[in-house]
Amino acid sequence: MARPALAIIAGAGRLPAEIAAEAAGRGEAVAILPLKGFADADFASYAQYPVSLIDPKGVLQELSRAGADRVILAGAVHRPGLGMVRSGIQAVRHLEEIRNVLEGGDDNLLRGVIAFLEKHGYAVVGVRDVAPSLMAPVGTLGHLSPSPAELEGIAIGRRALAAMGADDIGQGVIVAQKRVLAVEAAEGTDNMIRRVALLRRPGLFGRLLRHGRPPVAEQDGGVLVKAAKPEQDFRADLPGIGPRTVRLARKAGLAGIAIEAGNVLVLERDATIAAADAANLFLVGV
Amino acid sequence: MARPALAIIAGAGRLPAEIAAEAAGRGEAVAILPLKGFADADFASYAQYPVSLIDPKGVLQELSRAGADRVILAGAVHRPGLGMVRSGIQAVRHLEEIRNVLEGGDDNLLRGVIAFLEKHGYAVVGVRDVAPSLMAPVGTLGHLSPSPAELEGIAIGRRALAAMGADDIGQGVIVAQKRVLAVEAAEGTDNMIRRVALLRRPGLFGRLLRHGRPPVAEQDGGVLVKAAKPEQDFRADLPGIGPRTVRLARKAGLAGIAIEAGNVLVLERDATIAAADAANLFLVGV
């Protein structure tokens, strides 16, 4: 019998393929279970077992067919493919179930999926274990480095994140001029960055968007600091940045991004670093 | 010579009148300096010396005419009266100055005003000193009281605020199901509450508003907790709630509001309590 495979249940984006490449590169057997309606990367060089988010028993069958003993969940499933939901009689039959999964009782549906897989005997692993090279390294990733003042902002952000960690609050803060302008909780990093962009928007339209709040004084500069929570389940809720994070940070007038080395994923690393360099943002693992 | 007066530089809303009533009620001489274009309460029973936000020397002249030795700044100036800015040649002459004040170098223009007044020999006092009865008392204000689970949420929120206090972060958090859903920093309490309402919005439109984030699981319940920062200057930056806070909290599906007794202002107390009772929200000073 062949060696048990690492099964990658793949959502959207390139992360599943990046994980597969790293695992296969060190000689692991890799099986891809592309999620229909979500997976969109090129998995041509791997054994593939397409599965549906709305058919949990089918996932178990395919895992068994793939000869997998470990499973990793990777890729985006946040934006439900409406096409998938609308396609065919199965979706109509499972409509209530789909609603429960997509809008449902847990704000991170992956946790429910992990519990389901573990109940059926599969070890669920995380990117940190399987593809550690995808996590942020220590040091500057692009051309730019933070200034001494920016390093101080990073230190303030890390201290704030550490203080909040005991209460399982956010993974991200934005610091400018030694002040914490925004704290991430349930809204996510992207929305936190967008908020700072709005706070800084000049003029009457900006004022309306701010609902009458005064603008954030510092028109430019500041740093996004991202770290893991102390109790983070890295299999379900992996902090990460990518090209979009860089784009949003640029729009918000930030000077750079600092991420916790070893604990924050850098999605599409080459594109992310290129975007940071093009935007004159520093990108540093700390 | 008459006893020196307490001068109230009055912005919009009823707070200046409420402060005046409390101070006059205990026998203090009170002079109102209504800010043209902002002040909108009834000050008919007090000596009035109208002043303009765009004429700092005029403010000093009126304070002298009023025989004031102490000054309190009260009422909203966040939404600049465009009418005021557009009215007359003076505004055109001072356009750059107005811009600096409204959009300017400090996100709380009151701090600059306080420094200006103190430089000219006036003691600037705060609501806590002059009208302590306007601050939140300990205990339930309306008909409803928090449940044991809600009290636990309040405790989590207070602990989170205390942990963040060292870094001068927000005065507010929203806690539901023992999780901190939102943390206030520079965006203000209202925008934080609006964010939770968006996070909870069901359906496709809500999903678009959330930019693809999953909805916050807890469709109802949760508590807004507001407290002062350890280093708060209560003369410039007074944490407060009012009827609008209650309306927003209801829209966000919260169960209630907990405010730090003695340190958080309850604007239009009767209306605020009535709004909370009507919305089935508890309102408690802790």
Side-chain angles (χ1 to χ4, degrees):
Chain A
M1 185 183 158
R3 184 179 162 197
L6 168 70
I8 303 174
I9 299 182
R14 294 186 210 164
L15 179 61
E18 292 181 1
I19 295 167
E22 182 165 338
R26 64 167 178 267
E28 292 213 43
V30 171
I32 307 283
L33 279 67
L35 277 169
K36 293 174 198 166
F38 295 99
D40 54 5
D42 175 14
F43 301 113
S45 42
Y46 308 98
Q48 290 182 59
Y49 305 84
V51 294
S52 170
L53 189 63
I54 59 181
D55 182 12
K57 284 184 185 168
V59 173
L60 293 178
Q61 282 166 4
E62 297 304 310
L63 283 173
S64 172
R65 279 187 59 213
D69 62 343
R70 291 154 302 142
V71 183
I72 182 165
L73 304 150
V77 289
H78 278 167
R79 288 183 187 273
L82 286 177
M84 177 197 79
V85 174
R86 290 208 189 100
S87 72
I89 190 76
Q90 189 184 28
V92 176
R93 275 211 315 268
H94 292 271
L95 206 56
E96 196 53 35
E97 198 175 341
I98 297 165
R99 283 180 64 94
N100 289 340
V101 172
L102 295 181
E103 301 273 1
D106 193 315
D107 73 326
N108 190 329
L109 68 91
L110 289 182
R111 286 201 191 97
V113 176
I114 289 172
F116 174 80
L117 292 171
E118 290 187 329
K119 204 179 80 181
H120 288 87
Y122 291 96
V124 180
V125 293
V127 180
R128 280 203 312 180
D129 314 308
V130 171
S133 81
L134 301 181
M135 310 304 285
V138 173
T140 301
L141 278 89
H143 294 325
L144 291 172
S145 296
S147 69
E150 287 155 0
L151 284 172
E152 194 180 351
I154 293 170
I156 289 168
R158 297 181 78 183
R159 199 172 64 226
L161 288 171
M164 292 183 290
D167 290 293
D168 196 31
I169 311 173
Q171 313 162 326
V173 295
I174 289 174
V175 182
Q177 307 271 356
K178 304 187 190 180
R179 280 181 58 218
V180 177
L181 298 186
V183 177
E184 173 191 349
E187 78 277 22
T189 306
D190 287 359
N191 285 327
M192 175 184 62
I193 307 173
R194 288 187 181 99
R195 184 156 82 238
V196 169
L198 287 184
L199 284 169
R200 287 178 157 179
R201 197 161 177 153
L204 178 62
F205 186 62
R207 209 177 300 134
L208 292 171
L209 286 171
R210 288 191 299 273
H211 295 282
R213 298 283 301 175
V216 170
E218 305 74 31
Q219 284 300 320
D220 271 309
V223 59
L224 163 66
V225 186
K226 266 196 82 116
K229 298 183 210 172
E231 304 291 321
Q232 191 118 28
D233 183 348
F234 286 92
R235 303 168 310 167
D237 190 18
L238 188 63
I241 65 153
R244 186 170 64 185
T245 319
V246 172
R247 279 198 304 275
L248 290 169
R250 186 180 55 75
K251 278 192 198 166
L254 302 187
I257 299 173
I259 48 184
E260 191 182 12
N263 280 343
V264 175
L265 181 70
V266 184
L267 288 156
E268 302 174 38
R269 184 174 303 210
D270 293 345
T272 300
I273 293 171
D277 284 342
N280 277 320
L281 290 173
F282 67 79
L283 182 59
V284 61
V286 291
Chain B
M1 187 182 155
R3 184 178 164 197
L6 169 70
I8 302 174
I9 299 181
R14 295 186 211 164
L15 179 61
E18 293 181 1
I19 295 167
E22 181 164 340
R26 63 167 179 268
E28 292 213 43
V30 170
I32 308 283
L33 279 68
L35 276 170
K36 294 175 198 166
F38 294 100
D40 54 5
D42 176 13
F43 301 114
S45 42
Y46 308 99
Q48 290 182 58
Y49 305 84
V51 293
S52 170
L53 188 64
I54 60 181
D55 182 12
K57 285 185 184 168
V59 173
L60 293 178
Q61 281 166 5
E62 296 304 311
L63 284 173
S64 172
R65 279 188 59 211
D69 64 341
R70 289 155 302 141
V71 183
I72 183 165
L73 304 151
V77 289
H78 278 167
R79 288 183 187 274
L82 286 178
M84 177 197 78
V85 174
R86 290 208 190 99
S87 71
I89 190 74
Q90 190 184 28
V92 176
R93 275 212 314 267
H94 293 270
L95 206 56
E96 197 52 37
E97 199 175 341
I98 297 166
R99 284 179 64 95
N100 289 341
V101 171
L102 295 181
E103 300 272 2
D106 194 316
D107 73 326
N108 190 328
L109 69 91
L110 289 182
R111 285 199 192 98
V113 176
I114 289 172
F116 175 80
L117 292 171
E118 289 186 328
K119 203 178 81 181
H120 288 88
Y122 292 95
V124 179
V125 293
V127 179
R128 280 202 312 180
D129 313 309
V130 170
S133 80
L134 301 181
M135 310 304 285
V138 173
T140 302
L141 278 89
H143 294 326
L144 291 173
S145 296
S147 69
E150 286 155 1
L151 283 172
E152 195 180 350
I154 293 169
I156 289 169
R158 294 181 80 183
R159 199 173 63 226
L161 288 170
M164 291 183 290
D167 289 293
D168 196 33
I169 310 174
Q171 312 163 326
V173 294
I174 290 174
V175 182
Q177 308 270 357
K178 304 188 189 179
R179 278 182 59 219
V180 177
L181 298 187
V183 177
E184 173 191 349
E187 77 278 22
T189 306
D190 287 0
N191 285 326
M192 175 184 60
I193 306 173
R194 287 187 180 99
R195 184 155 81 238
V196 169
L198 287 184
L199 284 169
R200 287 177 157 179
R201 197 161 177 151
L204 179 62
F205 187 61
R207 208 177 301 133
L208 291 172
L209 286 171
R210 288 191 300 273
H211 295 280
R213 298 283 302 174
V216 171
E218 306 73 31
Q219 285 298 320
D220 272 308
V223 59
L224 163 67
V225 186
K226 266 195 82 116
K229 297 181 208 171
E231 304 290 321
Q232 192 119 28
D233 183 348
F234 285 92
R235 303 169 309 166
D237 191 16
L238 188 63
I241 65 154
R244 187 170 64 183
T245 319
V246 173
R247 279 198 304 275
L248 290 169
R250 185 180 55 74
K251 279 193 199 164
L254 302 188
I257 299 172
I259 47 183
E260 191 182 11
N263 280 343
V264 176
L265 181 71
V266 184
L267 288 156
E268 302 175 36
R269 184 173 303 209
D270 293 346
T272 300
I273 293 171
D277 283 343
N280 277 319
L281 289 174
F282 67 79
L283 183 59
V284 62
V286 290

